[in-house]
Amino acid sequence: MPAKVGAVKITNISSSGIFNIGDVYSMSPQSSAKTYAGGGSFNTGNGIRINLAHSNTKVMDVDKLDQNVTTVEGR
């Protein structure tokens, strides 16, 4: 069912984002990312103390492709 939309200001849309005004059947943004993190990573909070001495993150990724994302234009 059609709707009336007032003024719209778009400041930013990320590379994997979708913006649509009006009727739509299906929307599916797609993205992929690979993150390497060693010991003590992703800690949040106040007053965290971490002593890892000698910490190494060794990555061996022989296939190079993990999440193959393809898009079909015109759908």
Side-chain angles (χ1 to χ4, degrees):
M1 176 174 232
K4 292 183 180 180
V5 178
V8 176
K9 179 181 178 183
I10 301 171
T11 305
N12 186 19
I13 296 178
S14 68
S15 62
S16 63
I18 293 178
F19 176 77
N20 185 63
I21 295 178
D23 297 336
V24 65
Y25 172 74
S26 175
M27 297 175 73
S28 60
Q30 298 177 350
S31 68
S32 64
K34 185 185 292 189
T35 304
Y36 302 114
S41 298
F42 306 116
N43 291 323
T44 58
N46 295 328
I48 294 176
R49 293 182 183 185
I50 300 169
N51 184 2
L52 298 174
H54 301 286
S55 176
N56 293 320
T57 301
K58 296 183 181 182
V59 178
M60 184 176 191
D61 189 8
V62 295
D63 63 354
K64 305 290 185 222
L65 301 172
D66 294 327
Q67 298 179 27
N68 302 331
V69 176
T70 58
T71 60
V72 177
E73 299 296 326
R75 279 189 162 184

